[in-house]
Amino acid sequence: MTRVLITGSADGLGQMVARELIDLGHEVTLHARSESRAQDALRGAPGAAGVLVGDLSSIAETTSIAEQANASGRFDVVVHNAAVGYQERRRIETVDGLAHVFATNSLAPYLLTALIDRPDRLIYLSSGMHLGGDPDLTDLQWQRRRWNGSQAYSDSKLHDAILAFAVARLWPHVRSNAVDPGWVATKMGGPGASRDMSRAPETQVWLATADNPGSGEYYYHRKPHRTHPAVSDVRVQDGFLKACAGLTGVSL
């Protein structure tokens, strides 16, 4: 039996992955941003071992999530699923003064990766939209650029892939990969999404349970897929890690 933590598992893809892993007999811990959402998570995934609570847009609450995770015991797999979408029409600032999309989608996975006791496998949810991401790290908080919600989301999904590949390089004993689940009709994806919902969780489940998955890959439907060139650029990887360490005071 594998111990798995899945962020953002109160609904959507995170909950779909949780239910499949529970059905396979694994021990799954959920995550939700609030106590009320935690109850939604538990109702939606019967048999879950528990739920961690905290808002990933806050550095302090993300740190608390890591502390809760470590107090529960070491996880074999952590699935960084949680994200906010591309519908934000304006730049929303977090309690830490950061852009909400960046804080939730980019910085939180970095901080959890750095603080949670090192698992055997790390899975980061990216998106096909990462191909349109901007690898320029000089305005991560959208303080100079005119706000564009779709671009901010694309940038954040590029950051997730960059983080997955950086971890694979720096931690050779951890299998770290990024996943494109496809554009599916979740709350985030919207009703116009055209891809097969039933296939959306399959790669995450496979990477969590397969006997010998690789590391440092970007997968779509269990097959390696092309990535933005910046994903494999060591200078970009190191620049992103340095930026995140500067914002959090925590090094990977």
Side-chain angles (χ1 to χ4, degrees):
M1 179 176 65
T2 300
R3 293 195 76 229
V4 185
L5 168 63
I6 306 171
T7 67
S9 42
D11 58 15
L13 293 183
Q15 194 167 96
M16 292 174 69
V17 173
R19 288 197 297 261
E20 290 202 17
L21 288 170
I22 291 168
D23 287 347
L24 290 171
H26 299 290
E27 181 182 314
V28 177
T29 297
L30 310 171
H31 157 259
R33 67 177 178 269
S34 66
E35 291 290 349
S36 62
R37 293 288 285 163
Q39 296 308 308
D40 293 339
L42 290 170
R43 282 191 294 268
V51 57
L52 311 184
V53 179
D55 187 339
L56 291 170
S57 70
S58 160
I59 290 174
E61 292 199 34
T62 301
T63 301
S64 172
I65 293 166
E67 292 170 349
Q68 294 170 54
N70 291 337
S72 77
R74 180 180 172 275
F75 288 94
D76 302 299
V77 182
V78 178
V79 182
H80 292 281
N81 168 83
V84 293
Y86 48 83
Q87 300 94 339
E88 294 189 3
R89 298 181 180 274
R90 61 180 178 83
R91 181 186 182 274
I92 298 172
E93 192 164 285
T94 71
V95 294
D96 301 300
L98 306 176
H100 184 245
V101 173
F102 173 84
T104 305
N105 296 7
S106 305
L107 190 63
Y110 166 86
L111 188 55
L112 291 177
T113 299
L115 293 177
I116 291 177
D117 293 339
R118 198 172 297 186
D120 297 321
R121 304 182 188 194
L122 287 160
I123 302 166
Y124 299 87
L125 267 288
S126 183
S127 163
M129 290 179 69
H130 93 280
L131 291 168
D134 186 350
D136 187 348
L137 304 175
T138 59
D139 189 25
L140 291 172
Q141 305 313 319
W142 288 82
Q143 294 171 323
R144 294 189 297 275
R145 291 177 288 173
R146 182 178 180 180
W147 177 257
N148 182 314
S150 178
Q151 186 63 55
Y153 178 79
S154 295
D155 293 354
S156 73
K157 294 293 98 179
L158 175 60
H159 298 156
D160 291 335
I162 289 169
L163 177 58
F165 278 52
V167 171
R169 173 173 62 91
L170 295 171
W171 296 353
H173 299 299
V174 175
R175 288 166 175 158
S176 173
N177 294 287
V179 174
D180 174 7
W183 182 33
V184 293
T186 59
K187 182 171 63 178
M188 183 185 298
S194 58
R195 300 299 174 89
D196 184 354
M197 176 74 88
S198 68
R199 300 201 66 184
E202 72 173 30
T203 306
Q204 299 90 294
V205 172
W206 170 67
L207 285 172
T209 60
D211 287 340
N212 191 30
S215 187
E217 293 283 358
Y218 183 95
Y219 288 101
Y220 173 67
H221 290 175
R222 295 179 53 169
K223 294 182 179 180
H225 202 266
R226 69 188 180 101
T227 61
H228 191 296
V231 171
S232 300
D233 189 322
V234 172
R235 291 173 299 178
V236 176
Q237 292 176 9
D238 288 345
F240 177 72
L241 298 181
K242 182 178 179 180
C244 291
L247 291 168
T248 61
V250 178
S251 298
L252 194 65

